[in-house]
Amino acid sequence: MVSQIKSADEFEKAINQDKLVVVDFFAVWCGPCKMIAPMIEKFAEQYPQADFVKLDVDELSEVAQKNEVSSMPTLVFFKNGKEITRVIGANPAAIKQAIASNA
């Protein structure tokens, strides 16, 4: 299951783990974000060794800015609080590749 981050503190706690954390930066008005959401849910089921969370860039714009997210969707992959890679846009193949090589 993909849980939604509701605060900056929650975001910090979520990414500071010693396993892969996939953060889906999305916007409710974003068509490609809606298109990719079911795929992210599927990846969350396929890769239980990773955590999957989503963050609404309009609700938490300061977190999005701090992470230099300017287009949606952007998936940022973290381990131990550090960004290891990112995928910009609704690209299921690139997302799956990033998960598989880092989980």
Side-chain angles (χ1 to χ4, degrees), residues 8-9 11-12 15-16 25 55 60-70 76 78 81 83 86:
D9 285 345
F11 173 76
E12 290 300 322
I15 66 167
N16 280 295
F25 288 88
L55 185 146
L60 296 172
S61 57
E62 71 283 356
V63 177
Q65 286 175 340
K66 184 179 166 194
N67 287 277
E68 299 174 4
V69 173
S70 57
V76 183
F78 292 93
E83 179 180 332
R86 68 174 51 202

Side-chain angles (χ1 to χ4, degrees), residues 3-4 6 10 21 28 30 42 48 56-57 80 94:
S3 57
Q4 186 162 343
K6 293 291 188 184
E10 207 178 311
V21 180
V28 291
C30 164
K42 198 167 119 190
D56 185 330
V57 298
N80 296 314

Side-chain angles (χ1 to χ4, degrees), residues 33-44:
C33 298
K34 290 180 182 138
M35 184 189 82
I36 200 77
M39 295 295 297
I40 306 297
E41 291 284 349
K42 198 167 119 190
F43 292 147

Side-chain angles (χ1 to χ4, degrees), residues 22-33:
V22 181
V23 182
D24 175 11
F25 288 88
F26 78 100
V28 291
W29 47 263
C30 164
C33 298

Side-chain angles (χ1 to χ4, degrees), residues 3 5 10-25 49-54 75-85 98-99 102-103:
S3 57
I5 300 289
E10 207 178 311
F11 173 76
E12 290 300 322
K13 280 189 194 119
I15 66 167
N16 280 295
Q17 300 183 62
D18 62 351
K19 64 177 172 178
L20 180 67
V21 180
V22 181
V23 182
D24 175 11
F25 288 88
Q49 68 274 34
D51 272 1
F52 290 78
V53 296
K54 60 185 181 177
L75 283 93
V76 183
F77 299 77
F78 292 93
K79 221 177 235 183
N80 296 314
K82 294 188 174 35
E83 179 180 332
I84 48 176
T85 191
I99 297 166
N102 292 293

